[in-house]
Amino acid sequence: MTLGTAERKFGVLVISHGSREAKWVELVDEAVAAARLPDGLPVYSSYLEIVEGRLIQDGIDHLEAEGVTDIIAVPLFVSSGSVHIDEIRYALGLEQEPALPTDLERMRIRARVHWTSVMDDHPLIVDVLNDKLRPLSTDPARETLLVVGHGAREPGFYDRWRKVIESLAHKLQVKGGYRAAEAALLAPDETQSAMNRLISAHPDCTVLLVPFFMSEGYFTRTVIPSRFAGYEYRYSGETLLPHPGIARWIEEQVGAVWER
């Protein structure tokens, strides 16, 4: 596929959640900038909320001002169970109605939108999490994993979250040779029940906590440690970002559309 013809010109719109923490935004922008994409392909890193002047509509307006007729939308979210994925797809005109009520309105958009996949349990994401685990591990055969994600209480969305995080836990266990693995969501709170199962089944093992979050923040620094207060475990709090594998994942998502 070429960058553009008289009729079509492609651009990339990366969509992340957003944060009040400048470092959070900086890490996302760095990952987007590190992605090796075709020369001349316009790229815009946008945010669902909070980051004023960098919202999704700003990204659309910017790309269309450059003559883009086809937008490759890359949702930089960890799980397809996120309720935000549904509302973003609705706002981009990819769904007739949102599954849940939303304040997000339809975007002003003339370009054709090509939606890519969410991270979920993609092999590159498993590799990133495995890399983050290595400094914590000393003897995988005597260690168990507890992968913790945000989750969602809404029916359907919870099921997707649960499927993704269980698959991640299994793949990390196999890849690293750990004794066992469990998965837990913060919403609804499954943390203590999952920890208790691991301790009961494998009392001779050390538990390694694995946060399945995009970047460090309130949930990884405060919520997760508070939910596991009183338990013994190893936990670095390190998240997917920063890691070069995220840029590689973005490249693969764009390439999946580019090479059609």
Side-chain angles (χ1 to χ4, degrees), residues 100-226:
L100 299 172
T102 177
D103 293 330
L104 199 61
E105 299 179 351
R106 291 278 197 182
M107 301 290 171
R108 302 184 309 275
I109 184 167
R110 299 185 305 275
R112 180 183 178 187
V113 177
H114 306 261
W115 183 261
T116 74
S117 299
V118 182
M119 289 179 166
D120 285 341
D121 57 346
H122 189 285
L124 284 171
I125 302 307
V126 175
D127 287 344
V128 171
L129 290 175
N130 186 59
D131 285 349
K132 301 286 184 170
L133 266 172
R134 283 189 183 126
L136 295 178
S137 177
T138 57
D139 184 3
R142 296 179 63 83
E143 295 164 346
T144 58
L145 304 180
L146 180 46
V147 183
V148 182
H150 186 282
R153 290 184 172 87
E154 295 81 1
F157 293 93
Y158 169 81
D159 297 330
R160 287 175 223 161
W161 253 111
R162 190 70 212 170
K163 181 179 179 181
V164 167
I165 204 161
E166 286 178 353
S167 176
L168 271 176
H170 173 71
K171 290 179 178 180
L172 281 170
Q173 178 194 351
V174 172
K175 192 174 189 68
Y178 298 98
R179 175 84 65 85
E182 279 277 357
L185 299 174
L186 298 178
D189 188 2
E190 304 170 338
T191 52
Q192 292 190 11
S193 59
M195 177 67 88
N196 289 336
R197 284 195 301 271
L198 276 179
I199 293 172
S200 177
H202 308 280
D204 60 327
C205 288
T206 300
V207 178
L208 310 184
L209 281 189
V210 186
F212 183 42
F213 285 79
M214 185 65 64
S215 192
E216 293 181 29
Y218 173 69
F219 286 100
T220 58
R221 297 192 196 109
T222 304
V223 176
I224 290 178
S226 69

Side-chain angles (χ1 to χ4, degrees), residues 26-40:
E26 180 183 328
L27 289 173
V28 170
D29 287 345
E30 287 175 353
V32 174
R36 299 186 298 260
L37 301 175
D39 291 340

Side-chain angles (χ1 to χ4, degrees), residues 41-81:
L41 184 66
V43 180
Y44 192 99
S45 179
S46 70
Y47 296 88
L48 171 63
E49 58 184 10
I50 301 172
V51 188
E52 292 300 325
R54 302 277 306 282
L55 301 179
I56 299 172
Q57 186 65 65
D58 297 309
I60 293 169
D61 293 344
H62 176 86
L63 291 173
E64 290 188 340
E66 291 197 22
V68 168
T69 62
D70 289 75
I71 293 176
I72 303 173
V74 182
L76 200 65
F77 284 78
V78 299
S79 173
S80 53

